[in-house]
Amino acid sequence: MNKPANVMFIVLDTLRLDTLYDNIDRYPAFSSLVDQSTLYNNVKSTASWTVPSHASMFTGMYLNEHGIDSSYENDSFFDLVKKFPSKCNPIPVEFRKRGYNTYSIVNNNMLGKGTAFAEGFDELDSVGPFVLQENHRETMREIVGKDNLEIIDAIEFGGVKLKSLLALGPSRALRLYNMQRNWKKEWKKYDYPRKKGAGESLKSISNMDLKEPFFTFFNLMEAHEPYHGAKGFAKVVRYYSENSYTGKWDGKAEKEAELEKMKESLPANLASLDNFLGGLISHLKEKGVYDNTAFVVVSDHGQCFGEDNFVGHGYLLNDYLVNVPMILKMPEGRKKVNDDYISTFDVYNVMKSIANGESADFPKRDFVFSESFGVSKPTWKKRLGDLASKHKPDVRKRIWSKEGYSLTVNGSKGEIEEFSYRGKPEKPDDHREAVSDLLTELSIFTGSENFTIPEI
Amino acid sequence: MKMSNTRSEPFLSLESKVGIAGIVLKEVFTKNVRPLILWNADRDTTVALHLVKATVENMELRMPPAVFVDHGDHFPETLDMVQKVSKDLNFRLITVRNEDVLDNVKDGKIAVSSLNDDNRSVLEKANIRDEDLSLSNDEVFRELLVKAPIEKAIARHRFDSVITAPTSDFPGGEGLNALIGRMNEETYSVVNPTLMFTGADLWKYTFDNSIPVHPKYREGHTSVFRKENNTPGSDKPAWEDEMIKEDASRDTAEDRERMMEKLRALGYI
């Protein structure tokens, strides 16, 4: 019987397909990995933000199946992700059942200790500035109390009023002030936002006593906002979100210039990821385990820099958000390119096949889907401010057929929002049969959620 | 009608069996994400369909899709019934057909050389080696026109549980003497909510709940699965003998008369 292959499951959070694929030759570790891997050109993420997208890769299910979405009505979203529903068999648990040692190193508290994503890991480490930031927020929440959480948003957006701070009482206001000051100093040590935890992740794995066979999960936040050289990402997000509803675009050129600067800063973040990858490969070679290790390197979603008048991720399902890069290196290592339509939920099935010692090909699906159930209430308020009470986030689903058709439906409005063939926009009326087939498939795919399929 | 796969539970009332079916189905909808109903418009799967409807209504879920296998040898009444019932009960009907086989049938015969790779692989797996095949051969009919399109639909839509009836012609269902059983290397389960229902139970449930009845049963047919070689067993409706025989074994003459009256009132006699 063959020795079971180790698995490195590396999620490059928020990394757009074009950001990596257009520049891959510039990065030695990525280039070298691709030379021994299958590079996938048509991978569709099941969701356009971190938690539901990771939930799909961890459970092998779409959003309407695992139920971890972010619907506007669901105030207890963060309680929901503390544990996967009983119908799910999370991938770390599956690896452990098969005798694997399981390790998790994450740069994002949403995937760390105390969440569903921790289940089944023998060792878990949360590192990097985002983890620090979330811990910092947690302390701030404790100081201001649950009735004053808006002050924290205001502090982060730079719009806190002295009056609201003083209303907390001098002792609490002073503690907040001191915390913020110390926190900024602390953050600078990380060279943030140029670096967001990849270096710390490498240190963490180097300190772990990896025992074969192992399954190791990384979430690396280097491509996530905010970006080096650009100020006020949150303000740009809010400008685009609000103005999409009001239709007023005064000062857009200035914001576009800021977004360009942000995009220009991405190579520095990619270099940091490349250093991580190179360091990880060297470490595994030193330990003598590289030749028996499979790599699944994938992004959970992309990022909008003003495309479709949107900045950030979540909510929409456009190409910039759901087309993601993916590299699969099996221990034997062979260079290949794959153009099939593939969904990130199948990452689960492929990893399970590796754990079973079976062939690890992605299944050819007739259809793949992405879903967005809006965004959580606090996030939506941050995006839209006072407009949030008037405009509920819409629910969307997108489908791709293996023939290359794509259709996006806004199920809150019962409207077709996008229809294309191999990336080129087409009029639905000119392809009624294809559209009708896609709508039928969407209708079969849709679970019990309230989602209106348009009539054509 | 094949009855060998039912599990006789003579001491359970129909009400209890319906209760057990409800528990089984609730389990299916709690633990699975993509169930389907394999529905032939026959008595057995139509009862299963109605049990599913009651369960999803209780759980405030949407009715799952039903897969109907169009094998090309149906009574016209079957095709009418699937359209009407799916519309009335408002569920998505997925009709599956093995087009490649149906396009290549000549006088009930198929040359294997005319079939595509998928179908040839189906025959190979079933160990059917002849070059010229006849659809009158039950095994050929079942493998190519029933099993293959169902398996394809299950894979295409990633269904993880197949709700059916033990007496229906679900491939592989034969011998699966369990309320819920794992099939096909764990990729999906087969669910038989009516496993403990006798033939008379199924008719009684049908009439008590005013469930649509395939018209061919009234003409004495005991199976409605396909037309070929399907002649009525008698000139009486299919339910008559089955219900009366079973009732006679346990009920009084008064009970039997009450049942006959009910059937007359409903227009079945």
Side-chain angles (χ1 to χ4, degrees), chain A residues 308-327:
Chain A
D308 290 342
N309 284 328
F310 191 75
V311 175
H313 49 269
Y315 189 50
L316 295 184
L317 296 172
N318 64 26
D319 287 349
Y320 310 100
L321 293 172
V322 294
N323 288 353
V324 291
M326 186 165 74
I327 301 163

Side-chain angles (χ1 to χ4, degrees), chain A residues 7 9 62 98 106 136 153 157 172 191 203 262 294 304 340 345 354 366 375 404 407 411 417 442 449:
Chain A
V7 177
F9 174 33
Y62 281 108
R98 289 159 177 80
V106 296
H136 173 76
D153 289 345
F157 278 81
R172 288 199 288 174
D191 191 11
K203 274 185 209 153
M262 292 180 199
C304 273
D340 296 337
F345 84 87
I354 298 173
D366 289 341
V375 288
L407 181 80
E417 286 191 333
L442 260 186
E449 67 271 22

Side-chain angles (χ1 to χ4, degrees), chain A residues 60-62 64-66 87 345 365-367 439-441 443-448, chain B residues 29-34 60-63 65 92 94 152 155-159 186:
Chain A
M61 294 179 184
Y62 281 108
N64 75 69
E65 297 164 352
H66 59 55
K87 61 192 170 191
F345 84 87
R365 303 276 181 197
D366 289 341
F367 302 95
L439 288 173
T440 301
E441 291 303 325
S443 139
I444 294 166
F445 172 73
T446 297
S448 283
Chain B
F29 286 101
T30 306
K31 290 200 173 155
N32 294 276
V33 293
R34 254 173 222 293
E60 295 184 355
L61 298 173
R62 204 174 73 134
M63 190 76 175
R92 171 66 66 185
I94 303 170
K152 212 168 179 179
R156 179 185 170 102
H157 302 290
R158 300 169 46 255
F159 290 121
E186 295 191 5

Side-chain angles (χ1 to χ4, degrees), chain A residues 59-95:
Chain A
T59 64
M61 294 179 184
Y62 281 108
L63 275 65
N64 75 69
E65 297 164 352
H66 59 55
I68 295 175
D69 55 55
S70 47
S71 58
Y72 187 73
E73 284 77 15
N74 190 358
D75 281 337
S76 56
F77 175 69
F78 287 99
D79 286 334
L80 182 72
V81 294
K82 281 183 181 159
K83 197 164 174 28
F84 287 123
S86 60
K87 61 192 170 191
C88 302
N89 300 307
I91 195 69
V93 176
E94 291 296 313
F95 271 102

